[in-house]
Amino acid sequence: MEQTMFGEAKIKAVGDLMRDDERVVIIGGAGFGGLLHSKYVKPLFDEFDSRILRTPIAELGFCGMGIGAAIAGLYPIVTIGTGSFAFEAWPQICNEAPNITYMSGGQVKVPVMFHALVGIRISGAAQHSARPQAMLMQVAGLQVIAPSRAADVGPLLKAARDSERPTFWVDHSLLFEETDLYPPGKAPPALGKAEVVRAGKDVTIVGYSIDLVRCLKAAVELEKEGIDAEVIDLRTLTPLDWETVCESVGKTGRLVVADECYPSASVASEIASIFADKGFGLLKKPAKRLNFPAVPVPLSPPLEMHLLPTVGKIVQAAKELVA
Amino acid sequence: MISVLSKDECLEALRKMLMIRRFEEACIDAAHENKVPGHFHVYIGQEATGVGVMSTLDRGDYVHSTHRNHGHLIARGADPNKALAEILGKAGGYAGGKAGTLHGCAPDLNFPLSSGIVAGILPIAVGTAYGLRVRKLPNVSVVFFGDGAMEEGAAYEALNLAALWKLPILFVCENNTAEVDRRPGGGQYHAPNMSIIELTDLPRIMGITTQIVDGLDLGAVWTAARDARNRAVNGEGPTFFEVRTHTWPGGQWPTLITGRTDISHAWTNEVPAQYEKNANWFKRNDPVLSVAREMLKLGIASNAEIEGIDMRVRTEIDSAVKFANDSPFPSLESALENVWPH
């Protein structure tokens, strides 16, 4: 299969959407790839120069502008840049955008997409390494998308636009140059639908975004040791597809979740909680949650690596469950 | 001076101002009957601002407001039945009871959801102005907010973004503490929480056209808004107004310190004994009475005509009260609607 980098697929998908739909504008000059990948983003910005609003360093202001522009008939993709900067715009993202459609009885649509490069990007230290996605799952009315695979990017982008819902799209900073390890599924990706990327029978490993890439690499390692892992990509965090996870664990009886968020009220804890009610009794062993421990992210690379949910830790957790 | 308006425009403006006054009185009555869920903010004393600005707008313009939105909704032409039902949390309200007083909206009039967060609406209003620019529409965005919004960072960012790209927007800052905070001895006005001397100083140095307008002077508000709208549509950028109101009774929720307005004060100038301490407000600072007096003075309307307008408005508000009271509370199923399927 053709190997497309995740970031290239992202930029192509945005370009396709802008060619297809003149309502689409980009607000924020941060692009989609950060400084490291600006050469990939440049052609997009050159082609659509007049539809890109290069903003001042005013996340609160320009995220609010995205909401207003959406109300006025555009489809703005608001590029926040580093995920930690979303906190500067928290009042607009969490307390304006998600309330408007509901509180207007469905009459005022807010089709806006906020986009950020999140996660432990290696030596970003505590103020540039935020994973705001779990916090955003606490925001009713906000759709949270966090794909991991190049093949899913275009269809999910279109689906988000068509949904007319305010959406926060999370890309991990380290995802840009990753390529798909497994071919795309038969069904096109849909909002609120997870995908079994690799079928297996011994253990279910759940991830999203960069953690999913780590899960798949772990599955390859596990295969060498005779362990057949089923790997699930959540793709959208809100709405969350608990059914696919439940079905898989019903088969394997074992669960590992990899999630860079802090342990409390995280994506991993939400997945694990499925087996306290809807999937009660399906686990044969206690679930293993691999999170970043609850400390601010340290700068020093060995400390950071020590705390990350790495491929090695996923392999180890799966082996302990299957043993 | 209201002489800038035609006779019909004057009569319509007075009708709208009275409609706001009677609507707010009905809200206060409903609050005393414990029918209003939550706290609310009335627009009494500021009617000339909302009505003056709104009279200059086009159907395609966007209007944005804050927690103090009742008057803006009515001035924009919202249905008082649906507006009042919404405040009471009823199914017949504009938003089916999900928004209430803090988040008034009339989407069919390009009046999207108001924000109850101080200054929260300003960046959104800049966004609709940008949307209008991109879509090449000959319209403007108008945002109303209080003087307190100027203390928030969001206001600074919004003003900068609008100024930077000369977006078609009118910032209408309604200062309803102008007299309270004015230091008569010092000779200069300053809001106690701002380091700037005048609220207009900040937008002015950012290159935004600014104007201080008397909130009692319907004609002045109307002229200022009309000119600002023309400049905005012609690509000349935003305008910032500080509209000043005085000895403002609207802030005494849930008690209305000036009582129910008797429109005949406009010609009798008699202040009831129990309101004697607010005599100045009745004589000079009530925009509804001021406009009525101006109309009488200029011969635009007679006492009887003004009383006739008030009577029709009161009948309309009485039926809005009935509509809102009779409207059922929303179905419990509707609580999970309007986000996505659950």
Side-chain angles (χ1 to χ4, degrees), chain A residues 145-206:
Chain A
I145 302 183
S148 71
R149 291 152 54 69
D152 289 345
V153 170
L156 284 178
L157 189 63
K158 276 207 181 69
R161 189 265 319 260
D162 294 344
S163 76
E164 296 189 296
R165 294 173 197 140
T167 301
F168 200 110
W169 182 298
V170 166
D171 280 338
H172 195 281
S173 297
L174 300 181
L175 201 51
F176 199 100
E177 292 180 348
E178 293 290 342
T179 54
D180 293 352
L181 289 175
Y182 283 79
K186 288 183 200 82
L191 299 172
K193 194 81 195 111
E195 187 191 12
V196 178
V197 181
R198 182 195 191 280
K201 61 179 181 4
D202 296 331
V203 57
T204 300
I205 307 181
V206 177

Side-chain angles (χ1 to χ4, degrees), chain B residues 91-112:
Chain B
Y94 264 106
K98 283 174 173 160
T101 168
L102 291 177
H103 308 285
C105 68
D108 52 331
L109 301 173
N110 270 16
F111 196 130

Side-chain angles (χ1 to χ4, degrees), chain B residues 29-197:
Chain B
D29 288 347
H32 288 154
E33 294 166 21
N34 290 322
K35 286 179 179 164
V36 182
H39 70 307
F40 64 94
H41 309 77
V42 297
Y43 197 65
I44 289 174
Q46 297 176 236
E47 293 90 343
T49 310
V51 170
V53 172
M54 230 73 81
S55 302
T56 69
L57 300 185
D58 183 80
R59 173 67 187 75
D61 296 338
Y62 281 96
V63 179
H64 300 275
S65 181
T66 63
H67 53 282
R68 197 180 305 285
N69 57 66
H70 303 175
H72 301 138
L73 279 172
I74 300 297
R76 182 61 167 163
D79 178 349
N81 293 11
K82 288 158 76 174
L84 191 58
E86 186 57 42
I87 290 165
L88 303 192
K90 298 295 191 71
Y94 264 106
K98 283 174 173 160
T101 168
L102 291 177
H103 308 285
C105 68
D108 52 331
L109 301 173
N110 270 16
F111 196 130
L113 202 77
S114 300
S115 173
I117 298 298
V118 174
I121 198 66
L122 274 84
I124 296 172
V126 173
T128 53
Y130 170 67
L132 292 167
R133 161 76 54 83
V134 171
R135 295 178 64 200
K136 300 184 169 61
L137 295 169
N139 290 105
V140 301
S141 169
V142 180
V143 57
F144 294 89
F145 52 98
D147 43 299
M150 292 299 285
E151 297 166 23
E152 291 276 4
Y156 172 80
E157 292 190 21
L159 290 167
N160 182 46
L161 293 165
L164 193 60
W165 299 304
K166 290 190 178 300
L167 293 175
I169 181 167
L170 276 57
F171 293 100
V172 185
C173 179
E174 297 186 71
N175 188 347
N176 50 32
T177 58
E179 185 165 298
V180 174
D181 298 321
R182 195 179 289 268
R183 311 294 157 93
Q188 275 197 318
Y189 158 75
H190 64 92
N193 299 321
M194 295 292 287
S195 59
I196 50 177
I197 300 296

Side-chain angles (χ1 to χ4, degrees), chain B:
Chain B
M1 291 295 286
I2 58 169
S3 48
V4 295
L5 295 150
S6 72
K7 180 180 176 177
D8 285 349
E9 286 169 337
C10 277
L11 291 170
E12 174 60 9
L14 181 66
R15 188 187 71 81
K16 285 230 168 94
M17 289 173 68
L18 272 165
M19 181 84 93
I20 294 170
R21 180 64 55 92
R22 300 307 180 199
F23 185 90
E24 298 293 42
E25 288 171 356
C27 283
I28 297 218
D29 288 347
H32 288 154
E33 294 166 21
N34 290 322
K35 286 179 179 164
V36 182
H39 70 307
F40 64 94
H41 309 77
V42 297
Y43 197 65
I44 289 174
Q46 297 176 236
E47 293 90 343
T49 310
V51 170
V53 172
M54 230 73 81
S55 302
T56 69
L57 300 185
D58 183 80
R59 173 67 187 75
D61 296 338
Y62 281 96
V63 179
H64 300 275
S65 181
T66 63
H67 53 282
R68 197 180 305 285
N69 57 66
H70 303 175
H72 301 138
L73 279 172
I74 300 297
R76 182 61 167 163
D79 178 349
N81 293 11
K82 288 158 76 174
L84 191 58
E86 186 57 42
I87 290 165
L88 303 192
K90 298 295 191 71
Y94 264 106
K98 283 174 173 160
T101 168
L102 291 177
H103 308 285
C105 68
D108 52 331
L109 301 173
N110 270 16
F111 196 130
L113 202 77
S114 300
S115 173
I117 298 298
V118 174
I121 198 66
L122 274 84
I124 296 172
V126 173
T128 53
Y130 170 67
L132 292 167
R133 161 76 54 83
V134 171
R135 295 178 64 200
K136 300 184 169 61
L137 295 169
N139 290 105
V140 301
S141 169
V142 180
V143 57
F144 294 89
F145 52 98
D147 43 299
M150 292 299 285
E151 297 166 23
E152 291 276 4
Y156 172 80
E157 292 190 21
L159 290 167
N160 182 46
L161 293 165
L164 193 60
W165 299 304
K166 290 190 178 300
L167 293 175
I169 181 167
L170 276 57
F171 293 100
V172 185
C173 179
E174 297 186 71
N175 188 347
N176 50 32
T177 58
E179 185 165 298
V180 174
D181 298 321
R182 195 179 289 268
R183 311 294 157 93
Q188 275 197 318
Y189 158 75
H190 64 92
N193 299 321
M194 295 292 287
S195 59
I196 50 177
I197 300 296
E198 300 282 357
L199 292 176
T200 47
D201 285 351
L202 183 67
R204 186 175 45 75
I205 58 168
M206 295 168 112
I208 295 174
T209 304
T210 64
Q211 192 175 344
I212 296 171
V213 186
D214 180 356
L216 286 174
D217 190 339
L218 176 72
V221 173
W222 186 88
T223 307
R226 181 201 55 192
D227 294 350
R229 189 184 180 282
N230 286 340
R231 285 194 299 273
V233 171
N234 292 333
E236 293 169 50
T239 299
F240 179 102
F241 296 116
E242 182 198 352
V243 186
R244 289 181 178 171
T245 56
H246 305 269
T247 319
W248 175 70
Q252 308 294 319
W253 181 89
T255 304
L256 187 53
I257 60 166
T258 49
R260 185 178 292 276
T261 300
D262 179 350
I263 194 66
S264 70
H265 284 175
W267 49 89
T268 63
N269 291 312
E270 287 168 7
V271 177
Q274 73 263 40
Y275 301 128
E276 191 51 45
K277 69 178 167 63
N278 295 306
N280 276 341
W281 193 77
F282 291 105
K283 283 178 188 154
R284 291 202 298 270
N285 296 337
D286 178 345
V288 174
L289 294 178
S290 292
V291 167
R293 286 189 191 115
E294 239 187 311
M295 288 174 69
L296 289 169
K297 196 170 135 198
L298 296 173
I300 294 169
S302 65
N303 300 2
E305 281 173 297
I306 289 173
E307 277 186 321
I309 293 170
D310 187 39
M311 191 68 75
R312 286 191 291 280
V313 164
R314 289 163 72 161
T315 305
E316 204 173 331
I317 295 298
D318 285 348
S319 67
V321 170
K322 183 170 180 352
F323 175 89
N325 283 334
D326 291 350
S327 176
F329 281 106
S331 73
L332 298 185
E333 290 73 36
S334 75
L336 292 181
E337 289 166 0
N338 307 128
V339 175
W340 44 63
H342 275 78

Side-chain angles (χ1 to χ4, degrees), chain A residues 124-312:
Chain A
Q127 281 195 319
H128 291 76
S129 302
R131 292 81 67 214
Q133 56 268 29
M135 294 183 192
L136 293 168
M137 288 167 74
Q138 275 285 326
V139 180
L142 192 68
Q143 189 162 257
V144 184
I145 302 183
S148 71
R149 291 152 54 69
D152 289 345
V153 170
L156 284 178
L157 189 63
K158 276 207 181 69
R161 189 265 319 260
D162 294 344
S163 76
E164 296 189 296
R165 294 173 197 140
T167 301
F168 200 110
W169 182 298
V170 166
D171 280 338
H172 195 281
S173 297
L174 300 181
L175 201 51
F176 199 100
E177 292 180 348
E178 293 290 342
T179 54
D180 293 352
L181 289 175
Y182 283 79
K186 288 183 200 82
L191 299 172
K193 194 81 195 111
E195 187 191 12
V196 178
V197 181
R198 182 195 191 280
K201 61 179 181 4
D202 296 331
V203 57
T204 300
I205 307 181
V206 177
Y208 65 96
S209 196
I210 197 72
D211 294 305
L212 190 277
V213 175
R214 292 172 184 146
C215 293
L216 286 172
K217 288 176 179 169
V220 172
E221 293 300 309
L222 289 164
E223 193 175 1
K224 290 176 195 160
E225 306 197 28
I227 295 173
D228 188 15
E230 179 144 306
V231 180
I232 296 175
D233 183 359
L234 294 172
R235 294 195 296 208
T236 61
L237 304 181
T238 304
L240 188 73
D241 178 5
W242 58 269
E243 282 133 324
T244 298
V245 178
C246 229
E247 199 177 313
S248 174
V249 171
K251 205 166 58 177
T252 64
R254 292 164 177 87
L255 174 67
V256 178
V257 193
D259 172 24
E260 272 194 5
C261 295
Y262 292 125
S264 295
S266 63
V267 179
S269 66
E270 186 62 23
I271 294 296
S273 78
I274 294 168
F275 302 97
D277 45 41
K278 301 179 189 85
F280 185 71
L282 294 179
L283 284 172
K284 293 174 191 153
K285 294 276 185 72
K288 295 254 187 206
R289 290 189 281 148
L290 303 176
N291 288 101
F292 197 93
V295 294
V297 179
L299 169 87
S300 185
L303 295 184
E304 192 178 45
M305 196 53 70
H306 177 62
L307 301 172
L308 265 182
T310 55
V311 174

